[in-house]
Amino acid sequence: MSYEDYEAALEDLRADALAWSDLAETFSAAKTIVAGCRLAMYEMDGIGHMLGAEANYNEAHTTIQGLADRAPTVFTEISDKLLDTKRRYEEADGYSQWLLDQG
């Protein structure tokens, strides 16, 4: 692996971390939108209620709300792990010697 390849790999880790961080921000905004999609009491007609559509909607909404609520945290953790991996590669004992060997 050349020095340029190594630097490109480290840059890829940084770029991927930024993408995950951007997703965390996006889902922070999206969870507010998802919360607003909750059905008001008796918003569906009696048929929809009797057929279970209201319960299905509410169950799906609860699942999606849970995912949207957790997404920013999970995506931030992924971003942090990628940045930590990059940092560890840069701080590795052999890194300085490897750079010197590359001339």
Side-chain angles (χ1 to χ4, degrees):
M1 174 185 277
S2 71
Y3 173 75
E4 290 79 19
D5 291 341
Y6 188 77
E7 288 295 315
L10 291 177
E11 176 56 28
D12 286 346
L13 282 170
R14 189 198 65 75
D16 288 353
L18 182 60
W20 284 105
S21 180
D22 288 347
L23 278 172
E25 288 181 31
T26 299
F27 272 86
S28 287
K31 68 183 188 177
T32 303
I33 295 167
V34 171
C37 293
R38 188 159 200 82
L39 284 178
M41 187 79 102
Y42 305 112
E43 196 163 338
M44 282 198 180
D45 63 13
I47 303 271
H49 180 74
M50 288 187 330
L51 293 174
E54 184 178 6
N56 288 340
Y57 182 92
N58 288 333
E59 183 179 341
H61 181 268
T62 299
T63 299
I64 292 167
Q65 184 72 59
L67 293 171
D69 286 346
R70 289 189 305 275
T73 302
V74 171
F75 293 160
T76 298
E77 288 172 358
I78 293 169
S79 176
D80 290 347
K81 285 179 183 180
L82 290 169
L83 290 174
D84 187 54
T85 300
K86 178 183 180 290
R87 184 183 54 77
R88 287 175 187 266
Y89 271 110
E90 290 171 331
E91 294 174 353
D93 290 340
Y95 179 70
S96 296
Q97 184 59 49
W98 182 83
L99 285 176
L100 290 172
D101 290 345
Q102 298 305 306

